Amino acid sequence: MAYATEDNITDLAVERWATAEDPRLAELMTGLVTHLHDFAREVRLTEQEWITAMGWLAATGQISDEKREEFILASDVLGLSMLVVQMNNRFAADATPATVLGPFHIDGSPAAPYGWDMSDGIDGIPFFITGAVRSTTGAPVPNAVLDVWQADADGNYESQLGIEEARLRAKYQAREDGTYCLRSIVPRGYAIPMDGPVGDLISRTEISYFRPAHIHFLFEEPGFERLVTHLFAEGTEYLDDDVVFGTKAELITRFVQHDGGVAPDGTTIDGPFVTAEYDFALQPEG
Ligand code: BEZ
Ligand code: FE
């Protein structure tokens, strides 16, 4: 084998990584090596810059734990998460499109019946979303489960508050005809976590570090493609410069203000509340 030179090192490294037993791993690693080397050549990476970059990667790992997902955040702000979402969720034009999962989803949310209030006791304006879960064929998805999560009015998710009980998240079950009703509080736009390595990098740019007001949904229905998506509030701030590139026109929903009256769950509310309607269209598998 030849010793490495500036000219042959990429070929040598590709040759080595091509020996991975799993052919897909070999493809991923040889592609990665090629692009990393091309990147280093193109920008003429200095030794000091590479040491700084590795320090940043180490810090990103060190701040991460099961509640703090700094690498997901890094992937999100680089636009890589959204690129991977787009490539892997090429649904029909009438299917509800996918967007980023983000770092704040928690598995195992409590089951919630039609109309349940997942914001019980948390400050905010009451918010109701109603609609149906359907196939793109138009058929209802009976008893579909809507795994829902959102931030509170201060922009904090449960995992950021270090609490153990489920907060502003639930798995709603739709009815036999696919219709659902959820109650929460009106979501607001918020800043992504800026107190770590990702925030440090962003703060050296003019990038807006906010996300527009939204609520998250995840569907895992047998016979349908998995769908990770959000609903965004129409007219809200940051729709055009979402720091994680997650906004999609089809997911922007009208949030209707009410001064009081009968809410979609049949209860009477004295003060202001907000309603939204959205029918989710799931893409059949295959
Ligand atoms: C979120 O919407 O929860 C989120 C997504 C990506 C980065 C940060 C937050
Ligand atoms: Fe969010």
Side-chain angles (χ1 to χ4, degrees), residues 72-73 76-77 100-105 149 157 190 192-193 211 214 216 230 243-244:
I72 295 183
L73 192 61
D76 292 342
V77 302
V100 284
L101 176 68
F104 299 123
H105 177 256
W149 69 105
Y157 283 86
Y190 60 80
I192 58 162
R211 295 220 62 207
H214 63 273
H216 297 254
H230 305 353
V243 60
V244 303

Side-chain angles (χ1 to χ4, degrees), residues 22 179 192 275:
D22 174 348
T179 58
I192 58 162
T275 58

Side-chain angles (χ1 to χ4, degrees), residues 147-255:
D147 187 350
V148 186
W149 69 105
Q150 72 167 87
D152 65 19
D154 296 324
N156 289 315
Y157 283 86
E158 176 190 318
S159 61
Q160 295 174 285
L161 297 172
I163 53 172
E164 294 306 327
E165 72 275 12
R167 186 172 192 272
L168 288 174
R169 62 184 173 95
K171 283 187 173 177
Y172 283 88
Q173 188 166 45
R175 298 191 288 201
E176 195 60 35
D177 64 356
T179 58
Y180 71 90
C181 172
L182 71 85
R183 177 173 175 162
S184 186
I185 51 171
V186 176
R188 305 213 15 230
Y190 60 80
I192 58 162
M194 288 295 288
D195 58 345
V198 171
D200 177 51
L201 208 49
I202 286 194
S203 63
R204 298 163 189 226
T205 72
E206 294 189 358
I207 296 172
S208 157
Y209 48 88
F210 291 90
R211 295 220 62 207
H214 63 273
I215 178 165
H216 297 254
F217 294 84
L218 165 64
F219 296 88
E220 289 179 304
E221 290 300 318
F224 294 93
E225 300 292 342
R226 179 173 186 264
L227 174 65
V228 175
T229 196
H230 305 353
L231 295 182
F232 295 92
E234 187 181 80
T236 194
E237 276 181 296
Y238 318 119
L239 284 170
D240 291 339
D241 57 1
D242 181 358
V243 60
V244 303
F245 309 92
T247 312
K248 288 197 169 251
E250 301 90 324
L251 302 175
I252 298 175
T253 312
R254 209 148 79 83
F255 282 22

